[in-house]
Amino acid sequence: MAKLILLTGGIRKEFDLGDFNTIGRHPDNSVQILDRIVSKEHAHVIKQADGTFMLKDLGSLNGTYVGNTRIHGQILKHGDEITMGSTRLLFSDRPSTEESLHRVTIAPSSINESHIRHKVDADKSERFLPVKDLPIDTLKRDYEKLRIAHELGQAIMGILDLETLLPKILDKSFELLPADRGVILLMEGGVLQPKYVKHKNPKQAHEQIVLSNAILNEVTGQKRAVLSSDASMDARFVGSHSIIMQGIRSTMSVPLMHGNELLGVMHLDSQIAANAFTEKDLQLFNSIANQAAVAIQNARLAKKIEEEAKTRAQFQRLLSPKLVEQLVSGQLHLEKVGELREVTMLFSDIRGFTAMSEKAKPTEIVAMLNEYFESMVDILFRWNGTLDKYVGDELIGLFGAPVALEDAAWHAVQCAIDMQAALRDFNQGRAQKGLEPIQIGIGINTGMGVS
């Protein structure tokens, strides 16, 4: 089902989309956004006859962006990121894997050291035997496995989106190894979380997958790839309900290691074939995991760089460069919950702007406002102010919000003085072009406000 996912504020919130959806600050909207820069009714998302969704901006003052492009109307694609004010939304129109992930659990078991047939240290995979010592059939089989492993490396190294990367990893693993089910778990906050599940038989996708806590502890604690015993045939597993209850005959679990960092675990199991996996399979699966870990780390780094770039692009219109860098580095967090504090507001507008607009061409007015606002906002940021909004020819700045600022009123007054000085330079430039000077009025007020 198509949905919008709220990415701002630290709490993931999803909004299922119907045929007609409204977005804005007002509580009557289908998607309410608590952001003062967003209009009361900011945009519509409308389902088209072909099943796609059209995003339409309703003439909002601060605009609607898809990626870094301001739009008026655009068909949304899966993965599009929408920005309204300081709020980011992700459009998703792909069947969710959440149901499958909820069917993966890690259960306690009584598996001990004797239940594990073979282990391979993450950084000490055994070498293949020389060609002269191998029968031709074995050589062909191993060559085919290495070919597919090479294809995996070629297939995943350029993918920087985890939602695309993880399915590709398990698809290639299933081509190579006789597995019935596979799970990729990634570390989040020190805990393994299932991120992608694959079944060889789609009809079994509704079945619960229970992973052995003992085996996962061996993999994560010792950084070893583990090949388990034939659970359904081995009496030693009588107490290991997490394996027996599902009739699992053979399992392989390998760590996803990037240098010394454990990123997660890959798991394959077989419900049909006894001793489905060999020690050579475990070595190969471990090699696949090593390639996968590099790709996963690259995808995470790319995502981090992308998020930093988007944060800069999102906030550099509103905050000073210093505060933007603090946000990007994580030193500063902007809370969605309002806080009562002393705030100083600065209001600045152009005197006689209406009469000026009536006499000048629209293009001249826009060019003048862009040049004027650019100069004034630079001064606002220089004095640690925050741009609240533009209202026609009016500029509203905040001091002490959203970040507390000592002597906020003094900063606002110094900002106003510098704005007046910059206006003189601005008017000199207009005089050289034969244009009339402009005059501005500046008001400053300090009081308690919710930031």
Side-chain angles (χ1 to χ4, degrees):
M1 184 175 186
K3 63 183 66 178
L4 287 176
I5 303 170
L6 181 65
L7 300 177
T8 308
I11 300 177
R12 180 187 175 99
K13 188 174 182 181
E14 299 184 358
F15 300 90
D16 292 334
L17 296 178
D19 292 339
F20 182 80
N21 312 269
T22 61
I23 306 174
R25 201 173 68 246
H26 196 276
D28 288 343
N29 287 291
S30 313
V31 180
Q32 184 189 15
I33 298 177
L34 299 177
D35 185 331
R36 65 173 178 268
I37 305 175
V38 171
S39 302
K40 289 184 178 179
E41 192 168 357
H42 195 102
H44 288 164
V45 178
I46 305 169
K47 189 172 184 178
Q48 307 297 292
D50 61 358
T52 59
F53 285 83
M54 167 73 79
L55 172 65
K56 288 187 176 182
D57 183 83
L58 301 180
S60 61
L61 181 64
N62 292 298
T64 299
Y65 293 79
V66 175
N68 292 320
T69 304
R70 185 167 183 168
I71 62 97
H72 299 287
Q74 181 169 317
I75 295 294
L76 294 172
K77 303 187 299 297
H78 174 77
D80 276 347
E81 190 164 307
I82 303 162
T83 303
M84 299 177 184
S86 58
T87 300
R88 291 166 40 236
L89 298 159
L90 181 71
F91 176 71
S92 174
D93 194 17
R94 182 178 292 173
S96 174
T97 59
E98 289 294 321
E99 281 191 35
S100 297
L101 297 181
H102 287 320
R103 294 192 180 98
V104 178
T105 57
I106 300 173
S109 66
S110 60
I111 301 176
N112 56 40
E113 189 74 17
S114 63
H115 300 145
I116 296 173
R117 284 170 44 203
H118 192 68
K119 305 177 191 175
V120 175
D121 287 340
D123 57 350
K124 294 181 180 179
S125 299
E126 295 180 19
R127 295 180 179 274
F128 287 94
L129 292 174
V131 175
K132 62 182 179 63
D133 296 334
L134 287 175
I136 188 65
D137 290 343
T138 302
L139 183 62
K140 288 181 178 179
R141 185 171 61 252
D142 286 347
Y143 169 79
E144 180 65 11
K145 291 181 178 181
L146 287 172
R147 182 187 65 79
I148 297 176
H150 173 71
E151 288 182 0
L152 169 67
Q154 295 297 309
I156 67 178
M157 284 304 170
I159 299 176
L160 298 177
D161 172 43
L162 278 180
E163 288 189 8
T164 305
L165 176 63
L166 300 185
K168 183 77 72 173
I169 292 170
L170 280 186
D171 286 347
K172 286 295 182 179
S173 298
F174 272 52
E175 287 180 24
L176 178 59
L177 299 161
D180 295 315
R181 307 185 305 182
V183 182
I184 295 178
L185 306 98
L186 298 180
M187 297 295 292
E188 290 186 352
V191 179
L192 284 174
Q193 298 289 349
K195 290 298 178 182
Y196 187 72
V197 176
K198 179 178 174 64
H199 293 78
K200 185 176 183 179
N201 183 356
K203 294 180 179 179
Q204 296 177 340
H206 66 282
E207 295 181 357
Q208 189 80 9
I209 299 180
V210 183
L211 305 180
S212 166
N213 188 49
I215 289 179
L216 292 181
N217 284 342
E218 175 73 21
V219 175
T220 58
Q222 302 301 319
K223 310 293 192 299
R224 289 173 176 169
V226 172
L227 172 62
S228 75
S229 296
D230 187 342
S232 63
M233 305 295 290
D234 195 331
R236 293 175 298 177
F237 283 87
V238 68
S240 301
H241 300 290
S242 63
I243 290 183
I244 291 293
M245 68 188 296
Q246 300 187 83
I248 296 171
R249 297 191 167 201
S250 194
T251 69
M252 291 193 298
S253 299
V254 297
L256 290 163
M257 298 294 301
H258 185 265
N260 294 322
E261 182 184 2
L262 177 69
L263 304 183
V265 172
M266 287 179 63
H267 170 90
L268 295 180
D269 64 43
S270 170
Q271 296 175 290
I272 300 174
N275 296 320
F277 305 125
T278 66
E279 295 177 5
K280 190 69 67 65
D281 290 332
L282 184 63
Q283 295 171 33
L284 188 54
F285 192 32
N286 194 46
S287 297
I288 292 173
N290 290 337
Q291 294 181 71
V294 173
I296 290 170
Q297 183 69 1
N298 287 344
R300 284 180 164 178
L301 289 175
K303 184 66 175 177
K304 181 181 178 183
I305 293 170
E306 181 184 3
E307 289 295 326
E308 290 180 354
K310 287 177 179 177
T311 299
R312 285 192 177 91
Q314 178 182 352
F315 286 102
Q316 67 185 4
R317 303 193 299 267
L318 308 172
L319 303 177
S320 67
K322 179 181 177 181
L323 290 181
V324 171
E325 289 306 314
Q326 290 179 4
L327 276 172
V328 169
S329 65
Q331 300 175 38
L332 176 64
H333 299 279
L334 298 182
E335 302 295 338
K336 281 286 187 181
V337 180
E339 177 184 345
L340 187 65
R341 65 169 63 154
E342 186 175 84
V343 178
T344 296
M345 299 189 72
L346 180 149
F347 307 84
S348 170
D349 66 356
I350 299 174
R351 298 298 168 87
F353 180 74
T354 301
M356 180 190 308
S357 301
E358 292 173 349
K359 294 187 294 182
K361 295 179 181 179
T363 52
E364 294 174 354
I365 293 296
V366 170
M368 182 273 291
L369 285 176
N370 285 340
E371 184 180 357
Y372 164 74
F373 280 140
E374 182 179 357
S375 174
M376 296 301 154
V377 170
D378 283 346
I379 295 169
L380 179 72
F381 288 165
R382 188 188 311 153
W383 288 101
N384 298 314
T386 298
L387 176 62
D388 181 55
K389 67 184 70 166
Y390 302 113
V391 184
D393 61 306
E394 181 185 10
L395 179 153
I396 302 177
L398 302 176
F399 295 82
V403 180
L405 177 65
E406 189 176 354
D407 296 326
W410 180 83
H411 281 77
V413 171
Q414 296 302 315
C415 176
I417 294 171
D418 280 1
M419 283 180 167
Q420 292 284 9
L423 181 66
R424 289 191 288 272
D425 294 338
F426 180 79
N427 281 331
Q428 286 178 7
R430 288 179 60 81
Q432 291 173 1
K433 300 174 184 176
L435 301 173
E436 294 182 1
I438 65 171
Q439 301 299 324
I440 65 173
I442 301 175
I444 297 173
N445 186 61
T446 299
M448 300 303 293
V450 177
S451 169

